[in-house]
Amino acid sequence: MMFSDPQLWCIVLSIVFISALIQGIIGFGYALVAMATLPLVINFREANLLVAFSIVLPVIWIFWNYRQHSNLRILAGAIIGSLIGLPFGMLIFTLVDIDLLVRGTGLVILLITIDGFLQRPSPAAESDQQSPATLWSALAGFCSGFLAGTTSIAGPPIVIYAVRQPWTQDQYKGFIFGFFILISISRAIGLSLMGLATSEVLLTTAVIVPVVILGMKLGTILGPRINPVLFKRCLLSLLAVFSLYMLIMGSPTRADSTELKVELTKAPLLNDQVRYSGY
């Protein structure tokens, strides 16, 4: 029975909701927060799959509200870069030891939090001029694609690139969520082709998606009422603590010994190295 461990599921759904709430408030952070916390209670690879499949529909839903501000010409460089980086990341995901993935993810999150503390807000554009360097856009897309393939955390590189552009908030969100649609759908298709979209995974995702949508919707309502600078600093501080824990401790024993009762380990096309119950 899927909910044979109600306590574990309550924790997982709470983490997913809070991660989605943060995404709704500041425009990104679902995968970042979820992948910093879910591995503390479930296996890292299981967390990776849940994040990867549960983000697709919510991202499409949010992008629909900003579709008129998304420009394919601007997205082209990032899209091409991500399509190159994603397969490399997914290959690493199937080959690298879980402990290394956890530590690597912790290092990435720590670097992002440091950058967030040092970052200064850029002035918003007063017109529709949007002319970012295509090369930097492609590089940011490649890094995001690679991270999406290995850890499901696609946001940081492309967000760091976007916040440095002189864009309005709507232009920023149109670019970010337009990119996220591509990366999330591409990753979901890639994992499906690898044999990981089992009925158990899809059933778990079906339970999680409404929670994600609810969290993002509430976040979009609360966002304008919260001081964004204070909230961002509190979030970065919390993420710094989690990232240091992941970087120092590696794959938590608790995460490897406690599994969701849905059998996510059934992946017939992969060898024992890719199974999620151990490594």
Side-chain angles (χ1 to χ4, degrees), residues 72-82 130-142 158 161 165 167 175:
L72 184 59
R73 179 180 61 83
I74 300 173
L75 284 170
I79 289 173
I80 294 173
S82 67
Q130 303 181 19
S131 56
T134 303
L135 178 61
W136 288 110
S137 175
L139 179 60
F142 176 86
I158 204 69
Y161 167 79
Q165 307 306 317
W167 295 341
F175 174 83

Side-chain angles (χ1 to χ4, degrees), residues 15-38 51 55 59 62 109 112-113 151-160 172 176-177 180 212 216 231-232 235-236 238-239 242:
I15 291 174
V16 167
F17 176 80
I18 294 173
S19 301
L21 180 67
I22 292 171
Q23 173 90 26
I25 293 174
I26 64 176
F28 72 98
Y30 174 73
L32 188 63
V33 177
M35 289 305 298
T37 51
L38 281 177
V51 170
I55 192 61
V59 164
I62 290 182
I109 296 174
I112 297 303
T113 57
T151 65
S152 283
I153 303 176
I158 204 69
V159 167
I160 289 174
Y172 161 81
I176 288 296
F177 287 111
F180 283 167
V212 177
M216 288 190 180
F231 181 83
K232 180 181 179 181
L235 172 62
L236 290 173
L238 183 61
L239 288 175
F242 281 123

